[in-house]
Amino acid sequence: MFITIVSKFKFWRSVLALALGFALIFLVVKGFLAEGPFFSFFLSWRNVLGLALGSIVYGFFTAYSRFYKHYKSSNRSK
């Protein structure tokens, strides 16, 4: 089941969309809560790398749970 889900193009498109959405929301909230400049988060490469990896992991697990639920329900209805 894992290989079936991960091999789909729609899955990776969903991972990317969720990762970008998460990163955008995180940056907006972080920018408003920061006491310095709005884009001070980008001053450290560790922050950028952490945000990129964290948002990809978030997108992967969220998309996988959605696709797993969909495939599980479609297999039961057959």
Side-chain angles (χ1 to χ4, degrees):
M1 175 83 61
F2 179 78
I3 299 298
T4 305
I5 293 173
V6 173
S7 65
K8 301 287 184 187
F9 177 73
K10 286 184 179 181
F11 170 76
W12 290 107
R13 189 173 57 188
S14 180
V15 168
L16 183 62
L18 287 167
L20 289 175
F22 174 78
L24 181 67
I25 290 171
F26 179 83
L27 287 174
V28 168
V29 169
K30 183 76 172 166
F32 283 125
L33 294 178
E35 294 181 4
F38 190 79
F39 292 108
S40 64
F41 183 80
F42 292 110
L43 296 178
S44 172
W45 64 270
R46 290 181 180 172
N47 289 343
V48 175
L49 182 64
L51 176 64
L53 291 177
S55 60
I56 289 172
V57 168
Y58 167 78
F60 182 85
F61 284 116
T62 306
Y64 184 79
S65 67
R66 285 178 38 200
F67 276 74
Y68 180 77
K69 183 178 177 182
H70 177 278
Y71 282 113
K72 192 175 180 183
S73 68
S74 66
N75 286 342
R76 285 186 182 173
S77 65
K78 288 183 180 180

